[in-house]
Structures are given as C-alpha cells and as structure tokens.
C-alpha cells in the first residue's frame, strides 16, 4: 500500500512488445507469480476500461472529475490502464477551497507523478448559493455551481465521474452514460435504457453526459482493488486514535467514524461486519430528506 511518504506507484507500469510490434501495458501484474485469471476484480476492471474507451471514442471533449478520494483515484488508475499509462483528457478538480490539507498534498504530488493535465477550478462563494438549502447542502452546492462554470469555460461534452450505486439511494438510479440538461440538471424520469452495454453517447447541443465507469463497483471492491493494485491512498482513510474517514469531502462538513482499521486488510474486514453507511460522516446525508435529491437534480455528482 502507498501513502504520501512512500515510493510512487508510477513504476508499477510495464510494457511488453508482442510479435506484431504493438506495445501493450502490463500494469500491476509484475508481482503476481501465477497467470492472471478472470476473477471478480478482473471483470470489474475490464468493464470499467470498456466504458472509458467507449466514452473517449464517442465524445469530442472529455474530462475526468478528480475529487481526490478513493473512488476517483481508482478511476484515474483505470484510465491509465485503458490508455497505455497516460490519461488522454484533463483531470478536473472543482475546488471548494475547504478540503483537508492531506487531500491537497495528495493532489499536488500525484497530479505530477501521474502526469495529469490537471485543471483546478474554483467554486463561487456561499453567498451566491440558494439560501433555502440546509447548511451542509448549501455548502456542497458550491461544487455544483463551480462545475457549471467549468463546463461553460471549457465546453466539455462528457464528464467522467466516480460515483457508485451502492453509495446512496439516489445514485442507485443512475445510468452509466447519464444525460444532463443544458443547465447541468438530471431528470431521473428521463434516463435512457442501457441493454447489452449499448450506451447513448449523443448529448443534445449545449448539454453533456456524465460517464460513470465504476457505477457497478462497491466500497469493498474499491478497497480490494486498491490493495491489489497498490494504488496510493490518503492517510485519512486509516484509523488514528480510534477514528478514520470512510468518505472524504470538505473538512467542515465531513467527519470521521469510529474505527480501528489501520490498513486495507482491516478496512475490508470492518466492511464485512459493519452496518454503518459509508456516508455516515457526511453532514449532508443527515439533513432534510430531500436535500441530496435537490442537489442531484440541480447537477450535483
């Protein structure tokens, strides 16, 4: 496992040249003595890489939303695998200015080591946000408005986001290629069918798609894959003084949960036994019942 003071994960990428001369990546397999098998994590990885390549092939201007947490770090890792060690589109961090210092340190280090085309875009002040929202939802809504400003600035027609269906009930209704309106809004009643991995990748003029490569993953899948691939993590995810963060957001509206899990093996064991929701440390999820849904409809991740 890598944390901030460890050796870069970049050196785990290896390339071999087959007979036809085309280089193919052999990433994170160097430490495996046996031949790779199509197990659960391999199947998840293959599906996510397929989604990323479909998005890249079918949309003109993509960006990958990098929130700096465990899910979006896995997503960047998958994108590096999908495109032979290099992410061929920008990594967009819509920055509230309120992340934990460890998150900014992680961004600054791995943005360089992973050779990302990093775009950091600020969010508008809280005074400009809908005052009828509860406090934490109002704070979170700054990210929605910041994302709208970034879309207008860069003209992206596709945004790759690291959400999962098991995280929250509203996200369970999402599609892999999810259409957004011209204002970035999401209409849960107007979602295209997705049969046999056939995706609608044609947003209307002025609109965009959200692409969700890890929508079918679980929290345990994320940690098991992170362990297998030796993906760097932010130390806040590991227990200290009996507490750790399961989900990372703004420092003023995100809180740790009771935990003794000091490594990924212990996190996985804890997840098997716990009934505490992953986002229990997010103040947003403890506000009025419709707060999260209102944000999602307006374009929140």
């Amino acid at each position: 496992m890598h944390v901030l003071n460890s050796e870069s994960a970049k050196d785990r990428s290896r390339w071999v040249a087959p007979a036809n001369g085309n280089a193919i990546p052999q990433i994170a397999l160097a430490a495996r003595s046996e031949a790779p098998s199509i197990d659960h994590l391999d199947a998840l990885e293959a599906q996510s890489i397929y989604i990323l390549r479909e998005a890249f092939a079918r949309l003109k201007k993509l960006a990958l939303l990098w929130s700096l947490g465990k899910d979006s770090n896995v997503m960047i890792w998958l994108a590096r695998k999908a495109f032979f060690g290099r992410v061929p589109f920008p990594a967009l961090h819509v920055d509230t200015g309120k992340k934990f210092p460890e998150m900014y340190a992680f961004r600054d280090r791995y943005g360089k080591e992973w050779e990302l085309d990093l775009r950091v875009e600020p969010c508008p002040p809280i005074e400009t946000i809908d005052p009828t929202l509860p406090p934490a939802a109002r704070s979170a809504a700054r990210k929605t408005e910041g994302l709208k400003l970034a879309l207008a600035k860069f003209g992206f027609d596709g945004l790759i986001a690291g959400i999962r269906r098991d995280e929250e009930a509203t996200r369970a209704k999402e599609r892999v290629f999810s259409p957004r309106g011209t204002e970035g809004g999401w209409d849960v009643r107007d979602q295209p069918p997705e049969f046999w991995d056939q995706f609608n990748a044609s947003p209307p003029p002025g609109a965009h798609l959200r692409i969700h490569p890890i929508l079918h993953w679980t929290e345990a899948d994320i940690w098991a894959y992170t362990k297998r691939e030796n993906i760097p993590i932010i130390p806040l995810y590991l227990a200290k003084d009996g507490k750790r963060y399961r989900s990372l957001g703004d420092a003023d509206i995100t809180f740790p949960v009771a935990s003794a899990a000091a490594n990924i093996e212990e996190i996985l064991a804890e997840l098997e036994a716990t009934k505490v929701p992953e986002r229990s440390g997010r103040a947003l999820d403890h506000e009025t019942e419709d707060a999260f849904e209102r944000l999602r409809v307006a374009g929140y991740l």
Side-chain angles (χ1 to χ4, degrees), residues 1-2 9 12-13 25-29 31-32 36-50 52-53 69-85 114 164 213-214 216-233 263-265 267-269 271:
M1 174 182 60
H2 291 246
R12 291 177 59 79
S13 300
Q26 300 292 315
I27 299 179
L29 293 180
R32 295 169 64 171
S37 61
I38 303 298
D39 63 3
H40 177 63
L41 292 179
D42 290 331
L44 289 174
E45 177 188 82
Q47 177 69 358
S48 296
I49 286 175
Y50 169 75
L52 286 163
R53 288 174 175 168
K70 63 186 186 300
D71 300 305
S72 61
N73 292 336
V74 163
M75 203 165 58
I76 285 180
W77 194 265
L78 290 164
R80 293 175 73 224
K81 281 198 170 187
F83 301 105
F84 307 101
W114 290 338
R164 309 189 324 269
I214 60 170
H216 52 299
W217 294 50
T218 67
E219 183 182 7
D221 293 332
I222 291 293
W223 282 118
Y225 188 76
T226 297
K227 178 179 181 296
R228 187 184 85 170
E229 300 288 305
N230 207 20
I231 300 172
I233 66 171
N263 55 53
I264 294 180
E265 291 86 348
I267 289 174
L268 288 167
L271 292 180

Side-chain angles (χ1 to χ4, degrees), residues 160-216:
I160 301 169
I163 70 168
R164 309 189 324 269
R165 287 195 176 105
D166 73 323
E167 277 184 285
E168 193 275 333
T170 306
R171 287 173 170 168
K173 304 172 186 176
E174 273 284 12
R175 295 290 191 266
V176 175
F177 278 59
S178 179
R180 294 302 197 268
T182 53
E183 296 297 318
W186 177 62
D187 187 351
V188 67
R189 297 163 297 183
D190 185 25
Q191 295 293 294
E194 293 183 332
F195 301 124
W196 307 291
D197 290 339
Q198 299 299 305
F199 306 120
N200 181 359
S202 301
H208 72 280
L209 290 175
R210 301 278 174 89
I211 298 96
H212 304 129
I214 60 170
L215 193 62
H216 52 299

Side-chain angles (χ1 to χ4, degrees), residues 85-154:
R86 174 182 168 272
V87 180
F89 33 73
L92 176 64
H93 179 210
V94 181
D95 188 11
T96 61
K98 292 186 175 184
K99 301 299 183 186
F100 294 92
E102 294 90 341
M103 298 175 74
Y104 289 120
F106 188 96
R107 182 191 72 187
D108 294 344
R109 173 175 177 176
Y110 287 101
K112 292 177 181 177
E113 290 200 13
W114 290 338
E115 299 180 336
L116 301 177
D117 176 9
L118 178 61
R119 316 279 179 91
V120 179
E121 294 297 313
C123 297
I126 192 71
E127 293 78 19
T128 65
I129 305 302
D130 182 359
T132 68
L133 287 167
R138 191 180 184 200
S139 182
R142 293 180 60 228
K143 190 172 180 179
T144 304
E145 297 307 314
L147 183 56
K148 290 179 182 179
L149 293 173
L151 279 166
K153 178 178 179 178
F154 295 111

Side-chain angles (χ1 to χ4, degrees), residues 232-254:
I233 66 171
I234 294 172
L236 293 170
Y237 285 118
L238 305 179
K240 182 179 180 181
D241 300 326
K243 292 184 177 181
R244 74 175 185 90
Y245 289 87
R246 281 180 68 185
S247 180
L248 291 176
D250 285 357
D252 60 338
I253 55 174
T254 309

